[in-house]
Amino acid sequence: MVLLAAQKFSKKLEDHNNHTHHDHHHHHQSHHFSSSLQDFRSIASNSISQLPQSEILSLSWIHKFFGLLPSINRAFAKLLVDIDYPMSSWDSESVQLFLRYSVNLLDLFNSISSCLSHLSQARMSLSHGLSLLENSPSSAMKHLKSIPPGCFNLSFDEDTKAEDREAKDCSGKQMVVHEAVNELKRIVFWVCGIFLSGLCSEWKPYLEMRKITGGFDDSSVFTLDSRINELMLLEKMPVLKEIEEINGSVANLLAASDAEKLDASMGLQKELHVLEKLMDDVSEEVDELFGSVMTQRNELIDCFRITTTQTQKSTA
């Protein structure tokens, strides 16, 4: 009886120790995951805080913002290393979440590229008009027109909006990935929405991005987003600063006297050169980001396909 009681006590103590060790390990792991996620958010927030709060609606500001995205993407990659959860190990829900995010992002980049192409054509038309101004004023007038707004016709289905807004019932590494991808989405979709609104001279793209992400109140861009809300409350139409300035210069040129036309045309030409350089820089960044997202998607799909095949073979 004494031996039996001792054995029972020993087993109970062992179970207790194992349970205590498991709880301690789980607590330590949860703390590590939370800390890693917070580090990622801090890097994103610190990167964005470097941006000026003025002139958000400008190509030069967009250029600065896009320049920060590679460092934010590197922070996301570091997060995956910190929690030991490479894409090759992702569960199906994490894979689907990232694939939805990335395909929508590719659509946004395509829409931006289309608007930039439209802007480029308008810029070249103005430059051609200026070249004709001295020898053929009547022909020049056909080209010296304000830059018209681009067109936004992109929309996401309701399933995408609903599914991506709310976190699924997940925990551990899956929860960290879900939260991090949603933060990436809020950051990148926010700037894409503002950029497209400035190119199209309407708030619809920005409002669409706000609807998809569920708002930016708990995101790294919250402070900057308050500036956008101020503009909307003032009922100010969103127009990129460079486009607004060029359209103003076109109006001044058309209203100028013969004696003033030379100076006015030279001023407009300088503005068009600045616009061309900024457009080239931003277009290059958009193309690079597009390529980077495509590479990530392909790698993730390949990893998921290999993992699925191996699982099927092991259960066959």
Side-chain angles (χ1 to χ4, degrees), residues 25-229:
H25 175 72
H26 180 73
H27 174 74
H28 176 74
Q29 191 179 56
S30 296
H31 177 73
H32 175 65
F33 290 164
S34 177
S35 177
S36 297
L37 181 60
Q38 185 55 46
D39 287 346
F40 165 71
R41 285 174 167 158
S42 294
I43 292 172
S45 181
N46 290 338
S47 297
I48 293 168
S49 67
Q50 301 171 23
L51 293 165
Q53 294 193 26
S54 59
E55 296 183 351
I56 294 178
L57 281 168
S58 70
L59 265 176
S60 58
W61 192 92
I62 296 293
H63 175 45
K64 291 174 184 174
F65 192 105
F66 277 156
L68 296 174
L69 289 184
S71 64
I72 296 174
N73 285 330
R74 284 194 296 271
F76 177 71
K78 180 180 180 299
L79 169 67
L80 298 182
V81 172
D82 288 345
I83 66 172
D84 190 24
Y85 199 38
M87 285 184 168
S88 57
S89 301
W90 280 12
D91 60 279
S92 60
E93 287 187 357
S94 297
V95 170
Q96 291 301 321
L97 175 71
F98 190 87
L99 290 179
R100 280 200 307 273
Y101 156 71
S102 58
V103 75
N104 289 338
L105 186 54
L106 292 176
D107 286 341
L108 283 169
F109 285 154
N110 277 331
S111 188
I112 287 172
S113 294
S114 177
C115 287
L116 286 173
S117 177
H118 168 85
L119 179 57
S120 178
Q121 291 173 4
R123 183 199 60 77
M124 288 189 291
S125 181
L126 280 169
S127 293
H128 182 57
L130 287 175
S131 70
L132 297 173
L133 190 60
E134 184 176 355
N135 297 321
S136 182
S138 59
S139 297
M141 291 303 110
K142 296 177 183 178
H143 299 278
L144 295 176
K145 298 176 181 179
S146 295
I147 296 175
C151 180
F152 178 76
N153 54 14
L154 187 65
S155 62
F156 300 114
D157 60 67
E158 292 301 320
D159 288 342
T160 297
K161 297 172 189 176
E163 286 179 17
D164 286 359
R165 259 204 306 267
E166 299 183 16
K168 296 190 180 223
D169 183 19
C170 57
S171 59
K173 297 178 180 182
Q174 185 184 5
M175 180 276 294
V176 175
V177 168
H178 192 108
E179 292 293 331
V181 170
N182 277 341
E183 180 64 11
L184 269 178
K185 182 169 63 177
R186 284 189 289 265
I187 292 170
V188 184
F189 282 24
W190 179 76
V191 73
C192 286
I194 291 172
F195 192 11
L196 284 166
S197 284
L199 288 167
C200 302
S201 298
E202 60 171 316
W203 287 116
K204 181 182 175 182
Y206 165 78
L207 293 173
E208 186 79 1
M209 296 306 104
R210 172 172 279 281
K211 191 187 302 180
I212 290 169
T213 60
F216 308 107
D217 293 350
D218 58 346
S219 175
S220 305
V221 298
F222 170 71
T223 303
L224 291 171
D225 187 57
S226 62
R227 177 59 183 148
I228 297 299
N229 289 325

